[in-house]
Amino acid sequence: KNQVEQSPQSLIILEGKNCTLQCNYTVSPFSNLRWYKQDTGRGPVSLTIMTFSENTKSNGRYTATLDADTKQSSLHITASQLSDSASYICVVSPNSGGYQKVTFGIGTKLQVIP
Amino acid sequence: KAGVTQTPRYLIKTRGQQVTLSCSPISGHRSVSWYQQTPGQGLQFLFEYFSETQRNKGNFPGRFSGRQFSNSRSEMNVSTLELGDSALYLCASSLAGTFTDTQYFGPGTRLTVL
């Protein structure tokens, strides 16, 4: 069964600090990996998407990395802001099949405090 | 460009009742997917509609059904509600529903079953 595991489950950091969220997956063969940000009470918003051949993708203060050999991805947030408080969800798509094959992680809940 | 809208935003029902949720995708998007999100399970795929046809289906009982209209608007119906159906129901739209398309999520409908 395809799995996506995220760690830590929750994280509290001080405003201005950096943090790194982890995603391990077993989906294979693999098409792409996305990171989503979900604010409380809202739907997820796509932050980055990487194909199996890419190993890094940035979106402002968010940088995602991918190691397809070890099946690991990380999301690095630089100079955190209060507005970064949200859940971050890792999503992995296989290279065939429909949306029922897409696997979502449970997410990491990040709280940025002043 | 207007985003994905979902109505209603909140709903309280009792066991045994049925409920219909509505989703209006971004203009021009033909793929609409539905997800159930619960704290312990993360996002679970329900089904995807493309051009009024159900193209993919997740592992949910037949009590969960949906349809898509010619204007791409979609509805999801849950019959004979159970306590375990309490969740945030999200819909997402994309241009063609391929893995490389970005899915845009609506704010969700929070369903509480008493």
Side-chain angles (χ1 to χ4, degrees), chain A residues 10-38:
Chain A
S10 61
L11 185 60
I12 300 174
I13 63 172
L14 290 173
E15 185 179 12
K17 297 295 186 183
N18 303 335
C19 69
T20 300
L21 314 181
Q22 300 289 345
C23 172
N24 294 340
Y25 63 92
T26 62
V27 178
S28 182
F30 154 84
S31 171
N32 62 68
L33 184 148
R34 291 180 186 270
W35 283 92
Y36 281 90
K37 177 188 179 189
Q38 184 174 20

Side-chain angles (χ1 to χ4, degrees), chain B residues 11-29:
Chain B
L11 208 48
I12 300 176
K13 293 286 187 179
T14 57
R15 279 183 300 173
Q17 288 186 310
Q18 76 165 25
V19 66
T20 299
L21 313 182
S22 180
C23 172
S24 292
I26 292 173
S27 178
H29 285 192

Side-chain angles (χ1 to χ4, degrees), chain B residues 37-52:
Chain B
Q37 187 177 31
T38 55
Q41 297 288 326
L43 275 85
Q44 304 287 313
F45 173 76
L46 282 155
F47 29 66
E48 183 221 358
Y49 284 86
F50 183 83
S51 293
E52 301 180 67

Side-chain angles (χ1 to χ4, degrees), chain B residues 30-81:
Chain B
R30 296 166 66 189
S31 168
V32 174
S33 299
W34 288 89
Y35 297 86
Q36 181 193 68
Q37 187 177 31
T38 55
Q41 297 288 326
L43 275 85
Q44 304 287 313
F45 173 76
L46 282 155
F47 29 66
E48 183 221 358
Y49 284 86
F50 183 83
S51 293
E52 301 180 67
T53 301
Q54 187 182 87
R55 189 161 67 172
N56 295 291
K57 189 176 188 303
N59 294 322
F60 276 81
R63 300 185 295 108
F64 292 82
S65 63
R67 58 178 175 168
Q68 186 181 35
F69 302 95
S70 58
N71 61 0
S72 292
R73 189 177 70 85
S74 178
E75 287 182 347
M76 189 191 94
N77 184 273
V78 187
S79 62
T80 318
L81 284 166

Side-chain angles (χ1 to χ4, degrees), chain A:
Chain A
K1 181 183 176 183
N2 289 332
Q3 288 187 313
V4 173
E5 294 184 352
Q6 293 188 241
S7 61
Q9 284 190 331
S10 61
L11 185 60
I12 300 174
I13 63 172
L14 290 173
E15 185 179 12
K17 297 295 186 183
N18 303 335
C19 69
T20 300
L21 314 181
Q22 300 289 345
C23 172
N24 294 340
Y25 63 92
T26 62
V27 178
S28 182
F30 154 84
S31 171
N32 62 68
L33 184 148
R34 291 180 186 270
W35 283 92
Y36 281 90
K37 177 188 179 189
Q38 184 174 20
D39 293 318
T40 301
R42 297 194 177 188
V45 174
S46 180
L47 290 174
T48 62
I49 176 173
M50 291 180 290
T51 66
F52 69 92
S53 60
E54 297 175 294
N55 55 27
T56 188
K57 186 69 69 79
S58 291
N59 178 359
R61 295 179 296 101
Y62 301 100
T63 299
T65 62
L66 173 65
D67 185 334
D69 291 332
T70 61
K71 295 185 170 60
Q72 294 181 325
S73 176
S74 63
L75 180 69
H76 187 73
I77 304 174
T78 304
S80 62
Q81 300 176 358
L82 297 178
S83 60
D84 292 330
S85 295
S87 287
Y88 292 84
I89 302 170
C90 174
V91 185
V92 182
S93 300
N95 67 357
S96 65
Y99 277 145
Q100 73 273 23
K101 300 293 187 183
V102 176
T103 305
F104 289 78
I106 292 178
T108 292
K109 188 166 186 177
L110 174 65
Q111 185 178 357
V112 181
I113 59 175

